[in-house]
Amino acid sequence: MTSWHEFVTMGRFGFYVWPAFGFGLVVMLLNIYWAHLREKAAHREVRESRSTEEESRS
């Protein structure tokens, strides 16, 4: 690449490449976020099931 402008425009294909790159990045970030939410929900469910088991034993 000889200049920053050529890199960004990518030989006139930048109009297609950069939105695709952005969309892929958003999908990956959402995937990480949703996995984090599911992990928190799973931990919460385990805590609740343990507390109900302890209550039923008493």
Side-chain angles (χ1 to χ4, degrees):
M1 298 289 159
T2 57
S3 73
W4 182 251
H5 178 70
E6 288 180 12
F7 173 72
V8 171
T9 58
M10 295 190 177
R12 297 186 314 244
F13 293 105
F15 180 74
Y16 304 104
V17 172
W18 291 113
F21 179 78
F23 180 74
L25 181 63
V26 167
V27 168
M28 287 190 290
L29 292 174
L30 284 173
N31 193 19
I32 292 168
Y33 175 70
W34 288 330
H36 177 71
L37 289 180
R38 292 189 66 183
E39 182 182 21
K40 282 176 54 176
H43 282 285
R44 188 179 319 114
E45 186 177 334
V46 168
R47 275 195 311 270
E48 289 172 359
S49 68
R50 286 183 181 172
S51 66
T52 54
E53 286 176 8
E54 290 174 2
E55 289 174 2
S56 65
R57 290 182 186 168
S58 318

